[in-house]
Amino acid sequence: MTSKQAMSSNKQERLLCYNGQVLVFQLSKGNFADKEPTKTPILHVRRMVFDRGTKVFVQKSTGFFTIKEENSHLKIMCCNCVSDFRTGINLPYIVIQNNKQNNVFEYFLLILHSTNKFEMRLSFKLGYEMKDGLRVLNGPLILWKHVKTFFFISSQTGKVASVSGNFSSIQWAGEIENLGMVLLGLKECCLSEEECTQEPSKSDYAVWNTKFCVYSLESQEVLSDTYIIPPAYSSVVTCVHICATEIINNQLRISLIALTRRNQLISFQNGTPKSVCQLPFGDPCAVQLMDSGGGTLFFVVSFMSNNACAVWKENFQVAAKWEKLSLVLIDDFIGSGTEQVLLLFKDSLNSDCLTSFKITDLGKINYSSEPSDCNEDDLFEDKQENRYLVVPPLETGLKVCFSSIRELRQHLFLKEKIISKSYKALINLVQGKDDNTSSAEEKECLVPLCGEEENSVHISDEKLSDNFQDSEQLVEKIWYRVMDDNLVVGVKTTSSLKLSLNDVTLSLLMDQAHDSRFRLLKCQNRMIKLSTNPFPAPYLKPCEIGLEAKRVKLTPDSKKEESFVCEHPSKKECVQIITAVTSLSPLLAFSKFCCTVLLHIMERESGNCPKDRYVVCGRVFLSLEDLSTEKYLLTFPKKKPIEHMEDLFALLAAFHKSCFQITSPGYVLNSMKVWLLEHMKCEIIKEFPEVYFCERPGSFYGTLFTWKQRTPFEGILIIYSRNQTVMFQCLHDLIRILPINCFLKNLKSGSENFLIDNMAFTLEKELVTLSSLSSAIAKHESNFMQRCEVSKGKSSVVVAALSDRRENIHPYRKELQREKKKMLQTNLKVSGTLYREITLKVAEVQLKSDLAAQKLSNL
């Protein structure tokens, strides 16, 4: 809570609110209990807090500070709360003036700490008395006006300096984010020669000769003189409160509220008046913002006539007004988490407590020591009554939501516990250790992993051990690198292992030294397949047309058609890498850690359920000492290309991947390689010719490209960039050299080929399922063919015996045809159960193929 300054009627006594407390400063020449004053001045402070039980302010603690100035005239100038540049913490302060002889004035700035100890942060002397425009800002920094010049002194420098800007008055001073300490006030402007030729009136001169400016104390220059307050308001604005600031196109835009001499509260947004409220009293002097919670905000305006009022920020209507006040403070006095306004009426302060006051948030919080004259609008009373009806149901709903959140946390905690114990049992089984989860409670926590059915509670050890395989059979190499804030772990599999990203998962299990459990780290997997042989464009080298799914034949005696268009390509050597990327910062809290790398492979077999295989690839050890010595640390190579291919794989895994389809209907895309090699200064990786490494200086350096030209007019460009900003820079540079009417389409799924392969796979399964529909008839057909062969055998014997009697063959042939027709009418039928089972399988497969076709059509 930011504290607000207030002043009582006694000039040697000041009140201030700080963190819900009321601080009472009193300057005297002795203790409160002493009747005879001493010669040594003493500054006393009392901390008073509000007791909700007794509904009164009680004294919490006291403190004092002895000022070693005898026979001097001391006066309290002001008090408030500012932040100390040494700690950044808001602390109460008080400024005291000492009037010495020979018109020498000495000023002290004291800071009050939480232990009620005063610290003198600043002291200086002037040859005149500060009277006008005294302000204390963060630092602390004191700002004042003498004659027509503004001066300031900071606790950091301890020297008095003048404000170079020719300000006639300052309406607001404070700190703005990214701009530092700034001043907002009226600055005199020099009229041009043409304007000076005409004799302006006094009112015109007052309006057009001054304008509002924002001035920086650090750079000592004007930041902005537009979009603040129109010049027509320069002569009537007396006080300003800045609500919000932002910089748009290097131009400062400000939203503020202002008090005017016409008793108005006006809201300005970027120099344009938005709302106006006519205030109920005259001579407004200060405005404060109060947040009563629930998004309800009020502007509390104080007047020179010891009156105050509250204005709704939402509709700029007067919500309440009070009279005969001594001061107004805003803070959280009752500890509810929202702000309230403390109204102290005249003669409310005595030696012990505050006697006449009222605390309210203009809602349901109302504490009063005695009935006060408060005239509140009927509109506010109606809203207050409606609030009583709305708030209780909202509180009940919040309690229900909190209860649901607690239950959800308990459920997530139990889920995490089950997963942790299950992985512990899994790793112990892989490493051949004894399972420590022997108790019945821990055995209940074990659940089937990776899609196994939950029909049986006990899992056979022999079956699980068959699924785990030696890493030497499938994994060639394991490596890991550190890049920025990421840990990249890679596994190189054998070329015989054909996988896709949907069939494989690389997990990292963290071994916790202080606990026997394993922690599963959140990872992002990526599969990298790179060809080691240079491959020509598809339109330059012939290849076999069509996918394997298109060559499925339903008849057993059909011959496999061969493509007459092109020949089979030579077998390419391909490197297959599976990577896992995880955040490194949480792991460095352990100083050194160890992770087990587990590879889960799900093999898809036709007609059977997927089979799971698990491979423990190895362990990863990393410590802060390794990072200090730059071991495993991957940085961008400056003067030499990538030496280790693991560095290339780490870049491909950690970088942001973007895939684009480039189509040029009217021109050949020969300019792509020119752009990669000449414009982007790319170097082809010798081991993997399809990868281009960008060596162009600046933000482009280190970007990776792959370009696959499918036809002379179409190709796929994949960009691996450090961030999306670099990717957009590359596209901006690419558009300049592309032919006219060229189209770029972002492939959100990563590659169009992946969806094509998926479509072909689903169509193949659909064809196989449809072919099984005739398998039920195949048995009856085979029996029919056998009987036909027997009949043909019998008929052939008769024909051999009676070769000279051809007229006897015709009756046998008719009998054979009648029997075949009878067999087709009676035996070619299937049961209803088998038919329903087949149609259900066909429907499921067709649904998957339809979904794949929809994704492919949306590209």
Side-chain angles (χ1 to χ4, degrees), residues 489-557:
V489 180
V491 173
K492 181 180 180 181
T493 60
T494 57
S495 58
S496 60
L497 189 62
K498 303 299 181 181
L499 299 172
S500 65
L501 188 57
N502 295 334
D503 301 333
V504 65
T505 303
L506 190 63
S507 304
L508 301 180
L509 304 176
M510 181 176 177
D511 301 342
Q512 300 184 8
H514 61 279
D515 197 349
S516 59
R517 296 181 300 174
F518 290 90
R519 175 186 172 191
L520 179 63
L521 301 181
K522 183 179 180 180
C523 300
Q524 181 180 2
N525 288 158
R526 181 173 288 182
M527 176 169 288
I528 302 171
K529 293 183 179 180
L530 297 177
S531 176
T532 57
N533 294 332
F535 57 96
Y539 62 90
L540 298 178
K541 181 177 180 179
C543 62
E544 186 177 357
I545 292 181
L547 297 171
E548 185 179 356
K550 302 299 182 181
R551 299 195 299 268
V552 176
K553 305 301 177 181
L554 301 181
T555 56
D557 54 347

Side-chain angles (χ1 to χ4, degrees), residues 479-483 486-490 526 528 577 579-581 632-634 642 644-656 704 720:
W479 51 266
Y480 51 96
R481 293 289 187 274
V482 175
M483 180 178 175
N486 295 321
L487 173 63
V488 184
V489 180
R526 181 173 288 182
I528 302 171
I577 304 293
T579 61
V581 182
Y632 309 115
L633 190 63
L634 177 61
I642 297 177
H644 305 285
M645 289 302 102
E646 290 78 8
D647 298 341
L648 173 64
F649 299 144
L651 294 176
L652 294 175
F655 274 6
H656 180 270
L704 300 174
Y720 297 89

Side-chain angles (χ1 to χ4, degrees), residues 527-535 573-575 577 641-642 644-653 655 657 672-673 675-677 680-695 702-709 716-721:
M527 176 169 288
I528 302 171
K529 293 183 179 180
L530 297 177
S531 176
T532 57
N533 294 332
F535 57 96
E573 296 182 4
C574 183
V575 176
I577 304 293
I642 297 177
H644 305 285
M645 289 302 102
E646 290 78 8
D647 298 341
L648 173 64
F649 299 144
L651 294 176
L652 294 175
F655 274 6
K657 180 181 179 181
M672 283 301 301
K673 288 192 176 181
W675 176 72
L676 290 172
L677 298 177
M680 302 305 293
K681 309 296 182 182
C682 289
E683 179 182 354
I684 301 177
I685 305 299
K686 295 181 180 180
E687 290 78 2
F688 305 103
E690 59 180 309
V691 181
Y692 296 83
F693 182 85
C694 180
E695 296 183 348
T703 307
L704 300 174
F705 303 92
T706 62
W707 167 248
K708 298 180 181 179
Q709 192 162 354
I716 301 295
L717 176 66
I718 302 178
I719 303 176
Y720 297 89
S721 57

